[in-house]
Amino acid sequence: MTVTFNIIEKGEDTELYNEYVECYNKGYTIKEIMATLGISKSTQHSYYKWAKREGLLNLKRRAEPRYYYYSKYYRRWIVQKKNKSTSLVKILCNTEEEAKIIVERMKKHNWSKTEARKIRDTLRYGGKL
């Protein structure tokens, strides 16, 4: 049985690590952190695992799902409610503001397919929500 140790010397690595934790807790995206600190994806992942293990990160979770996203393929916003693997409701709209309005309206109507059809028709014929 061999025992291996990971020895981390103080200096540039720990400074980068501390900066990583600070940037992460300030809410920077992973790409922004990597660009700012000039670190690779594997180094970022190592720092993340290390900081998470030590309990230094403010791990943020969304309290509620958004139910909408931007599709580069359709070049539009998509409001979507899924049930496990199948899509229950899917509505395409032009702006993020419309998507937010649609989500609130659909929540109010318990994600009714009839309401989704009304919204789609309204959007199709240029009406306002």
Side-chain angles (χ1 to χ4, degrees):
M1 181 170 148
T2 56
V3 179
T4 58
F5 294 96
N6 290 333
I7 299 173
I8 300 172
E9 294 181 23
K10 290 198 176 208
E12 195 174 313
D13 282 348
T14 53
E15 286 177 25
L16 273 176
Y17 170 73
N18 292 333
E19 287 181 48
Y20 173 84
V21 171
E22 189 177 317
C23 289
Y24 188 93
N25 288 334
K26 285 182 180 177
Y28 289 35
T29 65
I30 299 302
K31 286 183 181 180
E32 289 172 339
I33 293 171
M34 287 170 40
T36 303
L37 301 179
I39 59 176
S40 67
K41 191 170 184 114
S42 62
T43 303
Q44 178 277 322
H45 187 66
S46 298
Y47 286 171
Y48 175 80
K49 285 178 19 181
W50 184 17
K52 186 177 176 187
R53 196 175 316 119
E54 290 184 354
L56 298 175
L57 300 179
N58 296 333
L59 300 174
K60 302 163 199 88
R61 290 187 177 208
R62 286 192 185 133
E64 194 174 313
R66 282 187 6 190
Y67 297 113
Y68 66 91
Y69 62 94
Y70 184 77
S71 168
K72 289 181 182 179
Y73 179 78
Y74 291 108
R75 294 186 198 160
R76 298 174 87 189
W77 288 89
I78 297 178
V79 174
Q80 185 172 20
K81 168 82 170 170
K82 284 187 167 187
N83 181 11
K84 301 275 181 186
S85 61
T86 59
S87 179
L88 297 176
V89 174
K90 190 172 190 176
I91 303 170
L92 278 70
C93 55
N94 295 319
T95 65
E96 185 176 8
E97 289 75 30
E98 277 183 354
K100 289 177 183 178
I101 293 167
I102 292 169
V103 167
E104 290 306 313
R105 191 164 155 186
M106 291 302 295
K107 282 181 185 177
K108 193 185 330 181
H109 291 91
N110 200 22
W111 294 93
S112 162
K113 290 186 179 188
T114 307
E115 186 63 24
R117 204 172 301 116
K118 288 178 188 174
I119 292 171
R120 275 192 217 99
D121 290 342
T122 302
L123 292 173
R124 187 174 294 132
Y125 298 116
K128 298 230 178 191
L129 296 173

